[in-house]
Every structure is written in structure tokens, then in C-alpha cells.
Amino acid sequence: MARSRSGTRGRRGPRKPPRRDGAFAGASVQTVDPRERGAIELPATITVKELADLFGVNPADVIRELIKSGIFATINQLIDRDTAALVAGELGYEVAEPVLTTSGDGTEEGADGAVSEAAKEELFTEVDDANLISRAPIVTVMGHVDHGKTSLLDAIRSTTVAAGERGGITQHIGASEVTKDGRRVVFLDTPGHEAFTAMRARGARVTDIAIVVVAADDGVMPQTLEAISHAKAAKVPIIIALNKMDKPDANPDRVKTELTEAGVVVEEYGGDTPLVPVSAKSRVGLDDLVEMVLLVADLQDLKANPKRSAIGTIVEARMDKSRGPVATALVQTGTLRVGDVIVVGETFGRVRALENELGKRIPKAGPATAAVVLGLSEVPEAGDILRVVADEREARTLVEARRTEVASRGGEGSGRATLEDLYRQIQAGQAKELRIILKTDVSGSLGAITHALGQLATDEVKINVLHEGAGEITDNDILLASASNAIVVGFNTRIGDTARRAAETEKVDVRLYDIIYQLTDDIEKALSGLLEPEQVEVIEGRAEVRQVIKVGKSQVIAGSYVTDGRIVRGGARIWRGGKVIASDRIESLRRFRDDVREVATGFECGIALAGFNDLQEGDVIECFSTQTVSRSLAS
Ligand code: GDP
């Protein structure tokens, strides 16, 4: 379908002057003459007042129409396109297909909801097969402090820059490129799982491969374990860079064993995690490491569509005194061009200039390219999603919708999981596992608790311990929980002050226990709340048919005697000679001339069934009700 680049194509009549007076200056709309019954275009979101203006009706009329559909909106409330379309329909207007954003080359995507979680999912899912091409992998380096993350990044970069043909002095822009045999690899320059997970908590999915650096003389340390958990939680493949191999006390075998204990089995030990011995200091193994990255990337078959409008993630941003807000965007798909209108988090602007890491101006940046973007009106945050839109009008609408969304959620972090929310999600079939980050006083209790938790899993709900460790609950645990929709469980441990504050802002559910039984009991109770309640049939009672009375042409009434329990209206089975001959429903139940709700044992009554009318004397009518019981995991 041909889509227009502009959101205003097909509009009729003179435009109203742009509205800059209200809180929502975005959707400049014009009234459509009701006699002009062409299809009208609606923006992704619009306020009730603007919708009324668009139709030239009183806002009260719009509110009335909304109420008819069960939506209670105020005059300044933003409503989405679907809702607006509903009202439009009621008022006799035909609504055009949603305006789609294009990069002018036929690729397209919906213009709305760029900012919601669901939309993010969709945005990163490439559908346009014909235009997909391989793209460079994007790599994050993680590991324990002092194991050599920074040295390794520097060594890889300087090796290639020294050997490379590009020349020039690189500037720090938050990401850097390396070329090997004509193939590019992009490294994110902020090492550590903290930065990685902080971005993920903002909804960004940037990394394709995680290099976990382990010093061969020091082995697996607490932050190594964290890095592994963070990469696994993000489902990002891991390559182990066994660093400091130049040191005389390097002990690769010990590290490999420790890794196995941590659940990372290297290829040499029969697992599927590659390990590359390196030395950042002596510059040994760097080529092998980059080659391994390319190999792992090949297995992932990373693709992007350079022809669509760009989507990327901000990896770094700052205010520059002379140039204004400066942000590095890592373009993930599409091509970002000078002149594009972009929405970034809650801010927007027009790309005034793009620069590469050598500080050179570039006209465009394709998939898996980091570029410095000039032209934003405010400084965005690392992890914010960048998106090209059709024009400023759409940019304003999206930013406004984003702000409303954030405000209505009461802050950025409030979409996070509490145990209660998780129940609901699992109930709704949106979540199939309960994710837990477990911290204990001593590592000895970890095994016992993970085992106890594992026992609580059912066919419906898995328990996934994303990370476990000894020590107090830290901000990293909170970040991981926030990024992964997990809860944090502490056993015989405490939560640090900064972590507590982080938990409050990120709205992460933290639960502290000192008795294992209470911990498992709570989770079990929670899970039984989460499990789909079971529908159980309860036999209410039976009645024997003593007399069959015909009423009208086909209906019969069974004069019956209640032999046990009670007879109520609802489900019924008919028994004859020890067999069920029909399943039906008791439609009416009478004693003498009165309709009654129930008839107890030892009384007579008249029973009319909804469908079955072939009753005979001696038949037994068994009635039952269906009850909902919440299932316990113990059963
Ligand atoms: P980070 O905290 O993980 O970023 O670690 P750094 O890159 O800052 O390195 C920590 C220390 O280890 C520094 O003193 C480095 O010089 C040293 N180092 C890093 N890589 C190597 C290596 O391959 N061999 C040796 N001998 N020292 C290294």
C-alpha cells in the first residue's frame, strides 16, 4: 500500500493556525466540513477538545459519545486513534487508514505507540524480508573490577586503529568500531553490566554479544557472576575473554572449572560458551577474540533493514556549551539522515548534523552505526530509544503521548513488577515464570533456597532464579530486577540505602526473610494465587422422576421427589438404568405454583429441563454446580 510521508496528505480546506496555547500544542488540526464526507485522517493521539474542534461539534458531544462506549474522558484528555475513530464513526465520519511513517522508500510502520513497551518489541522485530541485510554485531564488555575490561577495549581499538587505514584521532562517543577482514564489529565503550542493565531497564536492547572478561590469575569473582547473570537474563550470548594470560600465575584450568560451577560451561569442557585466552597488556589473542565475535554473530544471523526509517538507542548524551545537546545514537535498524525529524524519549528535534567517532561530518548512519547527533532540544538519557518520524507534528504528538503515559504511570519506573502484578500477568497468560533475584547472607544457604524454590514450580509457572549471590541487596540487583521484570528476595540479608531508594524509584518488589519456610510459603501462596483457578463440579443433589406432565406441544414437567442433597437451577444430568442418557440444564423449578430457588431432600417439586423432553418415570435428575477453586501448589 502506498503510504504518504507526510501526515497531512489528503486534508482539505485551510489549516487553522498552529495551536501553541494549551498543554498540547502538537496536533494542529483543522475542522472538517461535515458535508464533505471524505475519509478523514486522525493522529495517533488527540485530545477530546481537538477532536471536537476537528468535527466542529461541542466537546460535550464527544464526551457523550465516549460515555456510550464506556469511556469516561475529560475535555483535555488524550485519546488514542482507535477511540477517536469510534467517536468519528458515531458522528458519521469515515476514518482513513492510519497515517504511516516512511523513510520515503516504501518501508513503513505504524505511527503510534512508538513509546510503549509493546511497541518497542514490535519496533525491533524486522518484518520486511526483501530489504534485510546482515548487520555488524554490537558488543558489550563486562566482568569483575580490575580484570581488564577497559584495557581490553583500548587494546582492541588501538590495534585496529593503528593498523587501520582510517587515520585520525578518535573521540570518545560511547561506542567504537573495529574492522576485521572487511567486517565491522561495534563495541559499546562503557564496560560493565551496570551500564548494560541500566539501558535494558529503560527498554533498550542494544547488545548482541557479551564479552565477559575474567582475569586468569584471579578467577571467577562476585562481579563475574553478576555479569554472567545479567547477560543470561538478557538472553545475550557470552564469550569468555580469559585475560592476563601473560601473568605467571595465570591458571586457566581453575577458571574454567569455576565457570562450570557458575553454570557457564566452556566449549573445551563440552559446553557451548566460547573462551578466548587473551592479554590486553601483551596484545595477544585480540584478533582471535574479534574473530570469535564474528563467528558468534554469524550464528545469530543479525539482520537489519537499511531502507526503513531509523530506530536506535542513545548510548551517551551530554550538554555541550557551544553545540547544545549532543547525543550518540547507535542506529539499530534503518538509516538516520541529516534533516530527519527524530523523537528521543521525551524530547524531539531535527538532525542538524551527524558525526562519526573521528569527529567527521557524515550525511547518514546505517544499521549498527554509532553517530553523534546534533539538533535535539534537550539532553536525552542513555537507553532512550531514538526514532525517526514523518514530521514535527507527529513528533510532538508522540512526545506528548509519552509524557502522558509516564505521568499516568506516576513515574518512569512504575511499570515494574510487584509480586501482585506478576500474579496478574501470569493469570493473563502474559508471563509463564516468576523471576527471582536471590541474595543470602552466606553462599551456603543459596543452594538450599534455590532448591526449595525449584520445588514450587508447576507445569504452568516456572521459577527462574536470574541471579543468586551472597551479600546485601545492591543497586545492581534492583537494576536487574527492573530490567527483567523480576522480584528480589533476600534471606538473612539487608538492603543497602541506595538500593532501597532505587527499588522505590524503579518500583521493584523486594522481600526480606529470615525463615526459609516463610519465604517458600509466601512464594507458594503467591503462585497459587497466580495459577489459573480450577473449575470444579459439585453435585448438589438428586431427584427421582415420579410423574411426567406434558405442557404445550413439546415441553414436559417432571413431578419429582428429592432423594438427596438439594435441587437447584443449573446443570443437570439424566440417569436411566445406571447410565447417563442426557446432559441438560434445569430451567425452571417449582413447588406448587411458585418458582423456587432450591428444593431440599424429602420434598416434591416440578422440574422443567431446557432441552431434553423425553423424561420417563423412574429417571433420576442429578443437578450440579460449577465452582471456581484456586489451586494450591501443594496439591
Ligand atoms: P577494569 O576495571 O576491568 O576496566 O580493568 P582495567 O582495564 O582498568 O585493568 C585493571 C588493571 O589490570 C590495570 O592495572 C591494567 O594495567 C591491568 N591489566 C589489564 N589487562 C592486563 C593484562 O592482560 N595483563 C596484565 N598483566 N595486566 C593487565
Side-chain angles (χ1 to χ4, degrees):
M1 201 185 318
R3 305 284 186 193
S4 138
R5 182 181 173 86
S6 150
T8 54
R9 185 188 64 152
R11 288 192 184 279
R12 298 170 175 88
R15 243 177 189 284
K16 268 191 175 180
R19 301 148 45 84
R20 308 238 177 254
D21 48 348
F24 181 75
S28 42
V29 289
Q30 84 259 47
T31 307
V32 174
D33 187 334
R35 287 158 302 187
E36 207 181 332
R37 281 286 156 97
I40 55 156
E41 288 172 3
L42 291 170
T45 53
I46 187 167
T47 67
V48 167
K49 169 128 192 358
E50 282 156 351
L51 191 63
D53 287 350
L54 181 67
F55 296 136
V57 299
N58 195 314
D61 295 333
V62 172
I63 293 173
R64 204 171 301 119
E65 288 305 328
L66 285 168
I67 290 174
K68 277 194 209 159
S69 312
I71 299 159
F72 297 89
T74 56
I75 186 159
N76 289 317
Q77 192 163 330
L78 271 179
I79 55 175
D80 61 21
R81 181 190 292 118
D82 287 348
T83 312
L86 212 77
V87 176
E90 290 299 323
L91 295 172
Y93 288 90
E94 193 190 325
V95 177
E97 281 280 296
V99 179
L100 294 187
T101 311
T102 80
S103 51
D105 51 29
T107 52
E108 61 196 36
E109 76 200 34
D112 54 356
V115 284
S116 73
E117 292 302 315
K120 273 183 206 153
E121 276 296 317
E122 194 194 309
L123 288 179
F124 291 112
T125 315
E126 294 289 355
V127 284
D128 194 352
D129 280 344
N131 289 316
L132 288 183
I133 55 155
S134 294
R135 66 162 173 87
I138 299 162
V139 182
T140 297
V141 177
M142 308 180 184
H144 195 70
V145 64
D146 280 349
H147 278 198
K149 300 180 291 289
T150 318
S151 309
L152 194 61
L153 266 168
D154 287 348
I156 292 171
R157 243 191 328 245
S158 59
T159 309
T160 50
V161 168
E165 32 327 278
R166 291 182 296 170
I169 301 157
T170 52
Q171 53 174 352
H172 177 90
I173 63 165
S176 48
E177 269 184 33
V178 156
T179 312
K180 167 110 189 109
D181 304 331
R183 293 179 65 188
R184 296 162 55 236
V185 175
V186 178
F187 283 89
L188 292 176
D189 282 348
T190 318
H193 54 275
E194 299 86 352
F196 167 80
T197 303
M199 295 239 266
R200 219 158 65 75
R202 298 186 63 77
R205 283 194 282 151
V206 188
T207 306
D208 303 308
I209 294 165
I211 293 181
V212 175
V213 182
V214 189
D217 61 333
D218 201 24
V220 171
M221 294 308 244
Q223 286 170 296
T224 319
L225 295 174
E226 280 191 19
I228 290 168
S229 299
H230 285 235
K232 280 189 172 174
K235 298 195 166 68
V236 170
I238 294 172
I239 297 173
I240 302 288
L242 193 54
N243 192 30
K244 306 200 185 182
M245 286 299 285
D246 58 285
K247 285 201 156 187
D249 52 347
N251 188 348
D253 286 336
R254 197 192 81 201
V255 179
K256 289 170 200 166
T257 310
E258 286 170 352
L259 283 168
T260 309
E261 281 162 11
V264 174
V265 187
V266 297
E267 285 170 341
E268 193 191 329
Y269 281 24
D272 51 13
T273 307
L275 177 146
V276 184
V278 294
S279 166
K281 193 178 168 195
S282 350
R283 300 184 177 232
V284 170
L286 305 177
D287 269 357
D288 297 343
L289 186 59
V290 176
E291 257 167 40
M292 187 55 81
V293 167
L294 289 169
L295 206 72
V296 173
D298 285 342
L299 294 177
Q300 283 183 286
D301 195 23
L302 303 166
K303 293 259 163 74
N305 173 6
K307 294 193 171 174
R308 61 176 281 169
S309 47
I311 300 175
T313 301
I314 301 300
V315 292
E316 211 172 82
R318 66 194 164 83
M319 181 56 97
D320 185 291
K321 276 199 198 102
S322 52
R323 307 201 289 174
V326 175
T328 301
L330 182 59
V331 177
Q332 284 158 285
T333 190
T335 298
L336 182 64
R337 293 184 172 84
V338 173
D340 278 347
V341 178
I342 52 175
V343 172
V344 181
E346 287 178 46
T347 179
F348 72 95
R350 187 179 286 276
V351 180
R352 206 171 65 228
L354 292 171
E355 283 176 4
N356 64 13
E357 64 181 298
L358 299 171
K360 289 206 177 104
R361 292 273 164 124
I362 48 173
K364 60 183 184 178
T369 310
V372 174
V373 177
L374 303 182
L376 281 168
S377 45
E378 285 164 47
V379 181
E381 281 184 67
D384 275 345
I385 311 285
L386 170 145
R387 178 155 188 237
V388 172
V389 295
D391 51 25
E392 282 202 18
R393 186 188 66 96
E394 191 187 335
R396 284 209 175 85
T397 312
L398 282 176
V399 166
E400 191 60 35
R402 167 74 171 160
R403 287 186 179 151
T404 313
E405 185 186 307
V406 171
S408 70
R409 289 202 323 234
E412 186 61 48
S414 39
R416 308 293 172 221
T418 64
L419 205 41
E420 285 73 19
D421 288 337
L422 286 169
Y423 310 157
R424 260 174 255 126
Q425 288 175 15
I426 292 178
Q427 259 177 326
Q430 292 160 346
K432 293 269 181 280
E433 59 179 25
L434 177 60
R435 296 181 198 151
I436 295 175
I437 284 137
L438 176 65
K439 291 307 273 286
T440 59
D441 51 346
V442 286
S443 48
S445 23
L446 284 172
I449 296 173
T450 15
H451 179 74
L453 286 172
Q455 304 260 299
L456 301 177
T458 66
D459 288 345
E460 289 98 337
V461 186
K462 248 175 55 188
I463 305 239
N464 186 353
V465 179
L466 290 182
H467 175 64
E468 52 177 44
E472 70 173 36
I473 295 164
T474 65
D475 351 0
N476 273 334
D477 299 324
I478 303 298
L479 262 183
L480 180 59
S482 168
S484 314
N485 226 15
I487 61 161
V488 180
V489 172
F491 181 72
N492 270 343
T493 186
R494 58 186 290 278
I495 174 167
D497 285 341
T498 42
R500 186 181 297 280
R501 279 194 295 275
E504 274 162 25
T505 22
E506 296 288 327
K507 302 274 191 291
V508 166
D509 199 350
V510 178
R511 302 193 169 219
L512 300 171
Y513 300 91
D514 48 17
I515 298 170
I516 292 196
Y517 167 75
Q518 281 175 352
L519 188 164
T520 51
D521 201 41
D522 254 21
I523 303 284
E524 178 173 346
K525 269 200 221 123
L527 282 181
S528 32
L530 331 165
L531 293 173
E532 279 283 298
E534 221 169 357
Q535 297 284 320
V536 177
E537 190 181 278
V538 179
I539 308 271
E540 296 284 349
R542 293 180 185 86
E544 197 182 292
V545 178
R546 298 260 163 104
Q547 195 184 4
V548 179
I549 308 146
K550 274 205 159 188
V551 284
K553 255 198 179 152
S554 58
Q555 222 196 348
V556 296
I557 291 178
S560 314
Y561 176 79
V562 183
T563 53
D564 62 279
R566 59 184 193 143
I567 296 294
V568 289
R569 271 173 285 185
R573 271 183 293 266
I574 321 302
W575 290 76
R576 186 177 294 165
K579 281 193 193 142
V580 174
I581 56 159
S583 283
D584 204 341
R585 210 161 41 75
I586 295 177
E587 198 169 54
S588 91
L589 185 62
R590 288 187 163 195
R591 263 192 61 70
F592 305 106
R593 293 197 164 274
D594 302 329
D595 279 318
V596 289
R597 275 166 181 257
E598 66 169 79
V599 181
T601 312
F603 289 95
E604 288 182 332
C605 59
I607 297 174
L609 296 172
F612 187 74
N613 57 15
D614 188 26
L615 283 166
Q616 292 176 8
E617 274 174 39
D619 287 350
V620 172
I621 299 173
E622 178 182 75
C623 79
F624 58 87
S625 60
T626 321
Q627 289 179 8
T628 308
V629 285
S630 71
R631 273 192 271 173
S632 158
L633 289 152
S635 65

